[in-house]
Structure formats: structure tokens, C-alpha cells
Amino acid sequence: MTALPPAREPEDLAEIRRAVRALCEGFPGEYWRALDRERAYPTAFVQALTEAGFLAALIPEDYGGSGLSLRAAAVIMEEIQAAGCNGAACHAQMYVMNTVLRHGSAEQKGRYLPKIASGELRLQAFGVTEPTSGTDTLSLRTTAVREGDDYVVSGQKIWTSRAEHSDLMLLLARTTPREHVAKRTEGLSVFLVDMRQALGNGLEIRPIRTMMNHATTEVFFDRMRVPAANLIGEEGQGFRYILSGMNAERILIAAECVGDAKWFIAKASGYARERVLFERPIGQNQGVQFPIAKAYAQMRAAELMVREAAELYETGANVGAEANMAKMLAADASWAAADMCVQTHGGFGFAEEYDVERKFRETRLYQVAPISTNMILSYLAEHVLGLPRSY
């Protein structure tokens, strides 16, 4: 499959793109189809990305990382998807690590970041969402109560992806009851949980089988003890800490969606050029070529929004609006391209060997996660357009 011509970008980013593409060539469709059948984790792929330094892109060089920009990290994740691979197996390592880097103590950063950069430790799990609160994060019920040198954690998280394949989890829990805080955003704290020690000692992980191979789980805490030394930043300020990480998450996942859209467009274009019916390639028919062209235009628009959000993020500005718009527009572009690609392939779009149905299932997730379209629209209405809060 011929890749789409890249947008104009600096040579250093183009070089990263070529390197990622070369790595991904070692993991063709057959590799991902085999994993998909068994719902297995792509250990070899994640290891290859780690050894190449791509998963340590945002970790500073002082801690053994690559010290790259968020824009460069977005290029990495986009290219993984555009090559037909699946970055969801490891993308959390980039944005979860960001909370430790920005708000962790010097001791915590020195203890964990070099090992995360080298691959000795995996920080893949992000425990935030709960069954009863969903995206209403401020209503979460998992508690962490200080007892001597530990916090004792009780509660439940859901959709905690990659928990079975991670050594560490970034956990958001309530340390002060809601009725005892002045602001709704206070009273939540962030902890770095060593799951190797906690598993079987108050921590239980149960896998959830889903329509795509996403390695997601529900996690239960029954008086799980976390050393107080593993508290990130100040007690009660955790919600503020994870917000910047969530913006990075949305930008990186938006980049993945752009990559998915590029894969679908390239796949559909190639098929439309080669598939001959009624003695002519189907791509000669406007009914086939127009949806492909429209998907391309939609993808390029989303690509520009992702680029702007990433560049603004690097200035330290508040990018809530830009990150949300990038995620929404890119998710819409990838889903439109996915639907178009299936339609272009006709019956073959449902055949496993073409990889279209697998990627179709994978990209559908981003209409819902990590934040739903309705929540994004509510944010824009309130915080950008000045409309009354709707929830």
C-alpha cells in the first residue's frame, strides 16, 4: 500500500516519520491479525518501539529519554497508525509519564523515569474512570486514606487499559470527602502505584473483552496500601495535575486518528485504482472517487488542527479548547475515512485479510474515548462560546 504524500514539515520530523515507518514495516498485517484473533498484547512491537527510543520521546535526556517535543511525539503516533499498526498498545506511556515529569518530586523522577525510558518499567495504566461516574471525574468514589506512612486505597476503576501489561499505574483517588472541600476540583490526589507489589495484595485486575483488541480491564482495590512517598505533588491537587496530561493525551490520540484516516484513504485509493468492474477501474467512477477525496480533505483539516494544538501546548499555554477540537475533528475524520474505506471495498471490506475491518473496529473507539464528542461540545460551548454550563 502506497503511503499518502506527507504534509510539509521540518526535516527532523520527516526523519522521525521515516524511522517509524521503517520500524513498522517489520510488523505487517499478518502480525496484527494473529494478535487480534487471540486478543493478545503486541509485546514484540512495544519492545521494538522502546528499544528505538520512541516511547521515551517526551522523557528529557537527563533521565535517559529522547527529549523530543509533543509535535514529534504526535508524528510518532500518527505514523504508527498510518502504517497499519496500533499505537493504543503503548500510547499511554507518553501522556501518563507527563504527570510524573511535571509534578513529581526530584526523587520520584530520578527513581522512575530512567527505568521507564529504558523499558525496564512500563507505565501504561491510567486509573481514572469509574463505573458510576464515567467522564464525571469529580464524582469518583475510590478513596485513599492516610494511615501512617501509607495510603489505604479502596474502590474500583473501569476501562483501565493495559493494566495487565504494566508495572506502574497512575491512580486518581479521593483523599478528602467532597463535602469537606471548598471547590469541586479539590480533594483528589494522584499516586504512582507499583502493581507488581500490589497485585494480590489488595489489587485485582479483571480483563474486559471488547470488539477490538484493546487490552482493557476493570481494577478493584481492597485496602491496597500505597507508600505515602508515591503521592505525586500535593495532596488534594490531583485533578489539576492530570488536566495537562489529558490535553497531551487528546492531542496524541488525535494524531493517531489522523494516521488512521491516512491509512484508510491510502488503502481505499489503492483498491479503487486496481479493482476493475465493467471493464474500468472503480476509481474512475465519481461515486467512488468523490468520497475518497472528501475523506482526504477532512483528514487534512484535522491534521492542521492537531499541529496547532501540539505547537500551542509546547508554549505552556492553556490548550483545552485546541486539544478538544483536535481530538473531535480527527476522530470524526478517521471514522468517516473508515466508513468510506469499507464502502469502497464492498464485501472485501469485511474480509479479515484486508485489515480494513480490524482498523474499522479500532478507530471506532475514538468517537467515545478518551472523551466523548458530547463532552467536547459542552466544553467548547461553555469555555469558548460563553454559553451556560449544561451539566
Side-chain angles (χ1 to χ4, degrees):
M1 185 178 71
T2 304
L4 296 180
R8 291 187 298 274
E9 62 187 359
E11 178 56 29
D12 60 332
L13 296 181
E15 184 177 348
I16 291 172
R17 193 180 297 278
R18 289 191 292 268
V20 175
R21 173 69 65 161
L23 184 151
C24 289
E25 287 175 355
F27 299 89
E30 301 93 290
Y31 172 82
W32 296 99
R33 290 195 292 273
L35 292 172
D36 192 61
R37 293 185 203 109
E38 302 298 325
R39 292 298 192 262
Y41 187 75
T43 301
F45 179 68
V46 173
Q47 185 63 32
L49 288 175
T50 301
E51 292 176 356
F54 292 132
L55 292 190
L58 297 178
I59 297 178
E61 293 181 9
D62 290 347
Y63 296 106
S66 303
L68 300 178
S69 64
L70 186 69
R71 175 80 192 285
V75 166
I76 292 170
M77 301 314 300
E78 177 197 314
E79 200 60 36
I80 288 172
Q81 300 301 117
C85 301
N86 187 0
C90 49
H91 59 199
Q93 190 133 312
M94 289 190 178
Y95 56 79
V96 173
M97 174 281 310
N98 184 64
T99 300
V100 180
L101 179 61
R102 289 196 170 196
H103 304 289
S105 66
E107 192 277 333
Q108 289 168 338
K109 288 186 282 190
R111 188 195 332 168
Y112 291 111
L113 292 181
K115 292 181 179 180
I116 294 171
S118 69
E120 183 179 344
L121 289 177
R122 281 186 188 165
L123 175 54
Q124 287 288 331
F126 193 22
V128 176
T129 305
E130 297 185 1
T132 58
S133 56
T135 52
D136 184 8
T137 302
L138 297 177
S139 295
L140 63 79
R141 297 180 180 180
T142 296
T143 59
V145 180
R146 182 72 180 260
E147 290 187 5
D149 293 332
D150 295 333
Y151 283 87
V152 178
V153 180
S154 297
Q156 178 185 358
K157 299 293 182 180
I158 198 167
W159 310 126
T160 306
S161 300
R162 299 160 301 274
E164 293 180 292
H165 307 282
S166 184
D167 301 307
L168 306 172
M169 173 195 295
L170 198 70
L171 174 68
L172 185 67
R174 181 162 291 284
T175 45
T176 304
R178 289 185 64 178
E179 59 270 21
H180 294 162
V181 295
K183 299 179 181 179
R184 294 179 69 243
T185 55
E186 296 177 346
L188 298 175
S189 300
V190 175
F191 301 89
L192 198 58
V193 178
D194 189 331
M195 293 194 293
R196 299 168 300 174
Q197 298 174 1
L199 195 60
N201 294 307
L203 171 64
E204 180 186 358
I205 302 172
R206 298 179 190 172
I208 302 174
R209 191 172 177 89
T210 59
M211 67 183 287
M212 79 292 290
N213 183 20
H214 200 68
T216 198
T217 69
E218 53 184 338
V219 183
F220 298 86
F221 311 104
D222 182 10
R223 291 191 58 79
M224 178 185 74
R225 304 190 78 87
V226 179
N230 285 26
L231 172 71
I232 302 296
E234 296 180 37
E235 182 181 297
Q237 299 301 310
F239 183 71
R240 178 169 61 86
Y241 296 159
I242 68 169
L243 284 182
S244 62
M246 286 181 171
N247 284 332
E249 174 191 36
R250 288 164 195 175
I251 293 169
L252 289 172
I253 288 179
E256 291 183 47
C257 289
V258 169
D260 274 342
K262 289 184 176 182
W263 186 90
F264 286 118
I265 293 164
K267 188 80 170 178
S269 298
Y271 185 79
R273 285 190 295 267
E274 297 169 3
R275 178 64 166 161
V276 175
L277 286 176
F278 303 107
E279 301 181 351
R280 57 192 280 164
I282 63 172
Q284 189 173 343
N285 302 315
Q286 292 180 344
V288 173
Q289 63 179 228
F290 282 9
I292 301 175
K294 185 175 181 179
Y296 177 78
Q298 192 171 353
M299 176 276 293
R300 285 302 311 276
E303 183 180 35
L304 292 173
M305 189 70 243
V306 174
R307 178 181 299 181
E308 178 177 344
E311 291 177 350
L312 190 59
Y313 181 92
E314 290 164 8
T315 70
N318 178 6
V319 294
E322 289 77 11
N324 275 295
M325 286 188 289
K327 190 272 175 183
M328 183 183 73
L329 295 174
D332 286 349
S334 67
W335 182 235
D339 189 58
M340 172 278 296
C341 191
V342 170
Q343 197 70 19
T344 302
H345 281 77
F348 290 110
F350 298 90
E352 182 187 60
E353 66 183 285
Y354 281 74
D355 291 311
V356 175
E357 60 85 26
R358 171 179 62 85
K359 294 282 283 183
F360 180 91
R361 286 183 281 114
E362 290 171 358
T363 208
R364 180 60 179 84
L365 171 65
Y366 299 117
Q367 289 288 308
V368 175
I371 183 172
S372 71
T373 298
N374 285 349
M375 290 294 290
I376 290 176
L377 294 174
S378 292
Y379 179 93
L380 295 174
E382 178 185 357
H383 296 283
V384 178
L385 302 177
L387 297 174
R389 185 180 178 87
S390 63
Y391 60 91

Coordinates of all heavy atoms in Angstrom, one line a residue, residues 127 142-147 149-157 167-173 189-205 219-228 230:
G127 N -5.5 4.9 36.0 CA -6.7 4.6 36.7 C -7.5 5.9 37.1 O -7.3 6.5 38.1
T142 N -13.4 6.2 44.5 CA -12.3 5.5 45.0 C -11.6 6.4 46.0 O -11.3 7.6 45.8 CB -11.3 5.1 43.9 OG1 -11.9 4.1 43.1 CG2 -10.0 4.5 44.5
T143 N -11.3 5.9 47.2 CA -10.7 6.7 48.3 C -9.3 6.2 48.6 O -9.0 5.0 48.5 CB -11.6 6.6 49.6 OG1 -11.7 5.2 50.0 CG2 -13.0 7.1 49.3
A144 N -8.5 7.2 49.1 CA -7.2 6.9 49.6 C -7.1 7.6 51.0 O -7.1 8.8 51.1 CB -6.1 7.4 48.7
V145 N -7.0 6.8 52.1 CA -7.0 7.3 53.4 C -5.6 7.1 54.0 O -5.0 6.0 54.0 CB -8.0 6.6 54.3 CG1 -8.0 7.1 55.7 CG2 -9.4 6.7 53.7
R146 N -5.0 8.2 54.6 CA -3.7 8.1 55.1 C -3.7 7.3 56.4 O -4.5 7.6 57.3 CB -3.2 9.6 55.4 CG -1.7 9.6 55.9 CD -0.7 9.3 54.9 NE 0.7 9.4 55.4 CZ 1.5 10.4 55.2 NH1 1.0 11.5 54.5 NH2 2.7 10.4 55.6
E147 N -2.8 6.3 56.5 CA -2.5 5.5 57.7 C -1.0 5.4 57.9 O -0.4 4.6 57.2 CB -3.2 4.2 57.6 CG -4.7 4.1 57.6 CD -5.3 2.7 57.7 OE1 -4.5 1.8 57.8 OE2 -6.5 2.6 57.7
D149 N 2.6 5.7 57.3 CA 3.5 6.0 56.1 C 2.8 5.5 54.8 O 3.5 5.6 53.8 CB 4.8 5.3 56.3 CG 5.7 5.9 57.4 OD1 5.4 7.1 57.7 OD2 6.5 5.2 58.0
D150 N 1.6 5.1 54.9 CA 0.9 4.6 53.7 C -0.4 5.3 53.5 O -1.0 5.9 54.4 CB 0.6 3.1 53.8 CG 1.8 2.2 53.8 OD1 2.9 2.7 53.3 OD2 1.8 1.2 54.4
Y151 N -1.0 5.2 52.3 CA -2.4 5.5 52.0 C -3.0 4.2 51.7 O -2.5 3.3 51.1 CB -2.5 6.4 50.7 CG -2.2 7.8 51.0 CD1 -0.9 8.3 50.9 CD2 -3.2 8.7 51.3 CE1 -0.6 9.7 51.1 CE2 -2.9 10.1 51.5 CZ -1.6 10.5 51.4 OH -1.3 11.9 51.6
V152 N -4.3 4.0 52.2 CA -5.0 2.8 52.0 C -6.1 3.1 51.0 O -7.0 3.9 51.3 CB -5.6 2.3 53.4 CG1 -6.4 1.0 53.1 CG2 -4.5 2.0 54.4
V153 N -6.1 2.4 49.9 CA -6.9 2.6 48.8 C -8.0 1.6 48.7 O -7.7 0.4 48.7 CB -6.2 2.7 47.4 CG1 -7.1 3.0 46.3 CG2 -5.0 3.7 47.5
S154 N -9.3 2.0 48.5 CA -10.4 1.1 48.3 C -11.3 1.7 47.2 O -11.5 2.9 47.2 CB -11.2 1.0 49.6 OG -10.4 0.4 50.6
G155 N -11.8 0.9 46.3 CA -12.7 1.3 45.3 C -12.5 0.5 44.0 O -12.0 -0.6 44.1
Q156 N -12.9 1.1 42.9 CA -12.9 0.4 41.6 C -12.7 1.3 40.5 O -13.2 2.5 40.5 CB -14.3 -0.3 41.5 CG -14.4 -1.1 40.1 CD -15.8 -1.7 40.0 OE1 -16.6 -1.6 40.8 NE2 -16.0 -2.3 38.8
K157 N -12.0 0.9 39.5 CA -11.8 1.6 38.2 C -12.2 0.7 37.1 O -12.2 -0.5 37.2 CB -10.3 2.1 38.0 CG -9.8 3.0 39.1 CD -10.5 4.4 39.1 CE -9.8 5.3 40.1 NZ -10.5 6.6 40.1
D167 N 3.7 -2.2 34.7 CA 4.3 -2.4 36.0 C 3.8 -1.3 37.0 O 3.7 -1.5 38.2 CB 5.8 -2.2 35.9 CG 6.5 -3.3 35.0 OD1 6.2 -4.5 35.2 OD2 7.2 -2.9 34.1
L168 N 3.5 -0.1 36.4 CA 3.1 1.0 37.2 C 1.7 1.5 36.7 O 1.4 1.4 35.6 CB 4.1 2.2 37.1 CG 5.6 1.8 37.5 CD1 6.5 3.0 37.2 CD2 5.7 1.4 39.0
M169 N 1.0 2.1 37.7 CA -0.3 2.7 37.3 C -0.3 4.1 38.0 O 0.0 4.3 39.1 CB -1.5 1.9 37.9 CG -2.8 2.6 37.7 SD -4.2 1.9 38.7 CE -4.3 0.3 38.0
L170 N -0.8 5.1 37.2 CA -1.1 6.4 37.7 C -2.5 6.4 38.2 O -3.4 6.1 37.4 CB -0.8 7.5 36.7 CG -0.7 8.9 37.2 CD1 0.6 9.0 38.0 CD2 -0.7 9.9 36.1
L171 N -2.8 6.6 39.4 CA -4.1 6.4 40.0 C -4.6 7.8 40.6 O -3.9 8.4 41.4 CB -4.0 5.4 41.1 CG -5.3 5.2 42.0 CD1 -6.4 4.6 41.1 CD2 -5.0 4.3 43.2
L172 N -5.8 8.1 40.3 CA -6.5 9.3 40.8 C -7.5 8.8 41.9 O -8.4 8.0 41.5 CB -7.2 10.1 39.7 CG -7.8 11.4 40.2 CD1 -6.8 12.4 40.6 CD2 -8.7 12.0 39.0
A173 N -7.4 9.2 43.1 CA -8.3 8.8 44.2 C -8.7 10.0 45.0 O -8.0 11.0 45.1 CB -7.7 7.7 45.0
S189 N -6.3 13.2 44.7 CA -4.8 13.1 44.7 C -4.4 12.0 43.7 O -5.1 11.1 43.4 CB -4.3 12.8 46.1 OG -4.7 13.7 47.0
V190 N -3.1 12.2 43.2 CA -2.5 11.3 42.3 C -1.5 10.4 42.9 O -0.6 11.0 43.6 CB -2.0 12.0 41.1 CG1 -1.2 11.1 40.1 CG2 -3.0 12.8 40.3
F191 N -1.5 9.2 42.7 CA -0.5 8.2 43.2 C 0.1 7.4 42.1 O -0.5 7.1 41.1 CB -1.1 7.3 44.2 CG -1.8 7.9 45.4 CD1 -3.1 8.3 45.3 CD2 -1.1 8.2 46.5 CE1 -3.7 9.0 46.4 CE2 -1.7 8.8 47.6 CZ -3.0 9.2 47.5
L192 N 1.4 7.1 42.3 CA 2.1 6.1 41.4 C 2.1 4.8 42.1 O 2.8 4.6 43.1 CB 3.5 6.6 41.1 CG 4.2 6.0 39.9 CD1 3.3 6.3 38.6 CD2 5.6 6.6 39.7
V193 N 1.3 3.8 41.5 CA 1.1 2.5 42.2 C 2.1 1.5 41.5 O 2.0 1.4 40.3 CB -0.3 2.1 42.1 CG1 -0.5 0.7 42.7 CG2 -1.3 3.1 42.7
D194 N 2.8 0.8 42.3 CA 3.7 -0.3 41.8 C 2.8 -1.5 41.8 O 2.6 -2.2 42.9 CB 4.9 -0.5 42.7 CG 5.9 -1.5 42.1 OD1 5.5 -2.4 41.3 OD2 7.1 -1.3 42.3
M195 N 2.3 -1.9 40.6 CA 1.3 -3.0 40.6 C 2.0 -4.4 40.8 O 1.3 -5.3 41.1 CB 0.6 -3.0 39.2 CG -0.3 -1.8 39.1 SD -1.5 -1.9 37.8 CE -0.4 -1.9 36.4
R196 N 3.3 -4.4 40.6 CA 4.0 -5.7 40.9 C 3.9 -6.1 42.4 O 3.8 -7.2 42.7 CB 5.5 -5.5 40.5 CG 5.7 -5.2 39.0 CD 7.1 -4.8 38.8 NE 7.5 -3.6 39.6 CZ 8.7 -3.1 39.7 NH1 9.7 -3.7 39.0 NH2 9.0 -2.1 40.4
Q197 N 3.9 -5.1 43.2 CA 3.8 -5.3 44.7 C 2.3 -5.4 45.1 O 2.0 -6.2 46.0 CB 4.5 -4.2 45.4 CG 6.0 -4.1 45.2 CD 6.6 -2.9 45.9 OE1 5.9 -2.1 46.6 NE2 7.9 -2.7 45.6
A198 N 1.5 -4.7 44.4 CA 0.1 -4.6 44.9 C -0.8 -5.7 44.4 O -1.8 -6.1 45.1 CB -0.5 -3.2 44.4
L199 N -0.5 -6.3 43.3 CA -1.3 -7.4 42.7 C -1.4 -8.6 43.7 O -0.3 -9.1 44.1 CB -0.7 -7.9 41.4 CG -1.6 -8.7 40.5 CD1 -2.9 -8.0 40.2 CD2 -0.9 -9.2 39.2
G200 N -2.6 -8.9 44.1 CA -2.8 -10.0 45.1 C -2.7 -9.5 46.5 O -3.0 -10.2 47.5
N201 N -2.3 -8.2 46.7 CA -2.3 -7.6 48.0 C -3.2 -6.4 48.0 O -2.8 -5.2 48.3 CB -0.8 -7.1 48.3 CG 0.1 -8.3 48.5 OD1 -0.2 -9.2 49.2 ND2 1.2 -8.3 47.7
G202 N -4.4 -6.6 47.7 CA -5.4 -5.5 47.7 C -5.8 -5.1 46.3 O -6.7 -4.3 46.1
L203 N -5.0 -5.5 45.3 CA -5.3 -5.2 43.9 C -5.7 -6.4 43.1 O -5.0 -7.4 43.1 CB -4.0 -4.5 43.2 CG -4.1 -4.3 41.7 CD1 -5.2 -3.2 41.4 CD2 -2.7 -3.8 41.2
E204 N -6.8 -6.3 42.4 CA -7.3 -7.3 41.5 C -7.6 -6.7 40.1 O -8.2 -5.7 40.0 CB -8.6 -8.0 42.0 CG -9.1 -9.1 41.2 CD -10.5 -9.6 41.6 OE1 -11.0 -9.2 42.7 OE2 -11.0 -10.5 41.0
I205 N -7.2 -7.4 39.1 CA -7.4 -7.0 37.7 C -8.2 -8.0 36.9 O -7.9 -9.2 37.0 CB -6.0 -6.8 37.0 CG1 -5.1 -5.8 37.7 CG2 -6.3 -6.3 35.5 CD1 -3.7 -5.7 37.1
V219 N -10.5 -2.7 37.5 CA -9.5 -2.9 38.5 C -10.2 -2.6 39.9 O -10.9 -1.7 40.0 CB -8.3 -1.9 38.4 CG1 -7.3 -2.1 39.4 CG2 -7.7 -2.0 37.0
F220 N -9.9 -3.5 40.8 CA -10.5 -3.4 42.1 C -9.5 -3.2 43.2 O -8.4 -3.9 43.2 CB -11.3 -4.7 42.4 CG -12.5 -5.0 41.5 CD1 -12.2 -5.6 40.3 CD2 -13.7 -4.5 41.8 CE1 -13.2 -5.9 39.4 CE2 -14.8 -4.8 40.9 CZ -14.5 -5.4 39.7
F221 N -9.7 -2.3 44.1 CA -8.8 -2.0 45.2 C -9.5 -2.4 46.6 O -10.6 -1.8 46.9 CB -8.4 -0.5 45.3 CG -8.0 0.0 43.9 CD1 -8.8 0.8 43.2 CD2 -6.7 -0.3 43.4 CE1 -8.4 1.3 41.9 CE2 -6.3 0.2 42.2 CZ -7.1 1.0 41.4
D222 N -8.9 -3.2 47.3 CA -9.5 -3.6 48.6 C -8.4 -3.4 49.7 O -7.6 -4.2 50.0 CB -9.9 -5.1 48.6 CG -10.6 -5.5 49.9 OD1 -10.9 -4.7 50.8 OD2 -10.8 -6.8 50.1
R223 N -8.4 -2.2 50.3 CA -7.4 -1.8 51.3 C -6.0 -2.0 50.7 O -5.1 -2.5 51.4 CB -7.7 -2.5 52.6 CG -9.0 -2.1 53.3 CD -9.0 -2.6 54.7 NE -7.9 -2.2 55.5 CZ -7.7 -1.0 56.1 NH1 -8.7 0.0 55.9 NH2 -6.7 -0.7 56.8
M224 N -5.8 -1.6 49.5 CA -4.5 -1.7 48.9 C -3.6 -0.5 49.5 O -4.0 0.6 49.5 CB -4.6 -1.5 47.4 CG -3.2 -1.5 46.7 SD -3.4 -1.1 44.9 CE -3.7 0.7 45.0
R225 N -2.4 -0.9 49.9 CA -1.5 0.1 50.6 C -0.6 0.6 49.5 O 0.1 -0.1 48.8 CB -0.8 -0.6 51.7 CG -1.7 -1.2 52.8 CD -0.9 -1.6 54.0 NE -0.6 -0.4 54.9 CZ -1.5 0.0 55.8 NH1 -2.7 -0.5 56.0 NH2 -1.1 1.1 56.6
V226 N -0.5 2.0 49.5 CA 0.4 2.7 48.7 C 1.3 3.6 49.5 O 0.8 4.4 50.3 CB -0.3 3.6 47.6 CG1 0.7 4.4 46.8 CG2 -1.3 2.8 46.8
P227 N 2.6 3.5 49.4 CA 3.5 4.3 50.3 C 3.2 5.8 50.1 O 3.0 6.2 48.9 CB 4.9 4.0 49.8 CG 4.8 2.6 49.2 CD 3.4 2.5 48.6
A228 N 3.2 6.5 51.1 CA 3.0 8.0 51.0 C 4.0 8.6 50.1 O 3.7 9.7 49.5 CB 3.0 8.6 52.4
N230 N 4.8 7.8 47.4 CA 4.3 7.7 46.0 C 3.2 8.6 45.6 O 2.7 8.6 44.5 CB 3.9 6.2 45.7 CG 5.0 5.3 45.5 OD1 6.1 5.5 46.1 ND2 4.8 4.2 44.8

